[in-house]
Amino acid sequence: MSAPVNQTCPVEVDKARARFWFWLRNDAARLLWPSRCLACGECGDDALDLCPACARALPWNRCACPRCAIPLPAPALACGTCLQRPPRLAMVHATCVYAPPLDRLLPRFKFHHDLAAGRLLAQLMAETCVALPRPDALVPIPLHRARLRQRGYDQALELAKPLARALQLPLLEDLLLRMRPTAAQSELDAVARRRNLRNAFAVRGHQPLPAHVVLIDDVMTTGATLHAAAQALRRAGVARVDAWVCARVP
């Protein structure tokens, strides 16, 4: 692997936060609408919509398997599962563990149109992903058009847009297609999740493909969705597929 996946460079993190600040706020807006903590409602700080207590409580996933992002007690080349059965993804990075306060913010963003929470989550991702190996492009996990009509927005795309701007990376939002509607993954066990996603994704058209792409999604549980998307990209000719997610379910 070309760089550590669980370390961040303070200078680069500061640059990423500064880019978000430039795009998302200005001095007049801060005076008219003071920052509020999106987790508890207390006063937020100037650079993050979290109060100091909730910011300190963020469950950063600093020690994790580099192949599946499962939290580990100590650094390792891979967890036992990935050593026995290497996944299709070359690397997976999860910014946080799915725990408080992320376990409140992510459902609000995903299911309740809380795009302000999504903006915060993308900012947290930018702070940790800035030090990772740079891909040629970001590719959000797409929703099927029926689910998109029902929800009104694609949460992975809403994370990928500001992330691409902050890290100055190309965004290929139409590269992947979701070919058929699938049952909600949260309602299925691990085996059913893999079966549910079989042949669910395809690569659009005959456009030239980048050699290295990163899939963007909100939460990783078993990884079935990301692995199915990675398989479609690899079959189409992409040499390396990584994944960046906001949170990993332990």
Side-chain angles (χ1 to χ4, degrees):
M1 298 178 63
S2 55
V5 299
N6 287 307
Q7 299 179 9
T8 55
C9 171
V11 174
E12 293 299 326
V13 166
D14 289 343
K15 289 180 181 177
R17 179 170 285 190
R19 293 189 193 110
F20 263 86
W21 184 245
F22 175 80
W23 284 311
L24 301 178
R25 294 178 181 275
N26 57 50
D27 290 339
R30 291 202 305 276
L31 290 173
L32 292 172
W33 299 285
S35 175
R36 283 289 183 188
C37 177
L38 295 178
C40 71
E42 295 295 325
C43 291
D45 68 23
D46 283 342
L48 204 64
D49 286 331
L50 289 174
C51 68
C54 288
R56 288 193 299 269
L58 285 170
W60 300 107
N61 193 26
R62 299 195 187 282
C63 186
C65 171
R67 300 300 302 274
C68 72
I70 196 76
L72 296 177
L77 293 176
C79 66
T81 300
C82 290
L83 287 173
Q84 293 176 1
R85 184 181 297 178
R88 297 182 181 94
L89 292 159
M91 187 197 80
V92 177
H93 171 77
T95 294
C96 292
V97 178
Y98 193 79
L102 270 293
D103 60 354
R104 298 193 298 274
L105 294 172
L106 275 161
R108 280 166 37 192
F109 167 53
K110 187 170 183 175
F111 301 114
H112 301 289
H113 298 81
D114 191 342
L115 298 183
R119 180 186 64 193
L120 169 63
L121 297 172
Q123 185 176 358
L124 299 178
M125 290 180 70
E127 292 189 8
T128 60
C129 293
V130 68
L132 300 176
R134 286 180 67 84
D136 298 315
L138 302 184
V139 178
I141 294 290
L143 291 177
H144 187 266
R145 58 183 179 273
R147 185 68 57 82
L148 182 60
R149 284 196 300 268
Q150 180 185 45
R151 187 171 296 171
Y153 61 99
D154 184 333
Q155 74 276 0
L157 179 58
E158 294 302 322
L159 290 174
K161 284 179 178 178
L163 190 57
R165 289 196 299 268
L167 302 183
Q168 299 180 341
L169 289 168
L171 175 63
L172 302 180
E173 59 183 272
D174 296 323
L175 181 62
L176 267 182
L177 292 171
R178 197 131 184 174
M179 300 302 293
R180 56 184 178 81
T182 53
Q185 291 287 89
S186 59
E187 301 171 359
L188 306 173
D189 61 25
V191 174
R193 284 172 185 244
R194 291 193 294 270
R195 188 182 304 117
N196 186 45
L197 272 298
R198 191 174 297 152
N199 299 319
F201 297 100
V203 175
R204 184 188 297 273
H206 302 286
Q207 58 187 299
L209 296 175
H212 178 196
V213 305
V214 167
L215 293 166
I216 303 296
D217 207 0
D218 55 344
V219 179
M220 179 177 179
T221 304
T222 65
T225 300
L226 292 165
H227 291 152
Q231 183 177 39
L233 288 165
R234 293 292 302 274
R235 284 176 175 172
V238 177
R240 171 173 170 170
V241 183
D242 299 341
W244 297 347
V245 299
C246 184
R248 178 63 156 94
V249 176

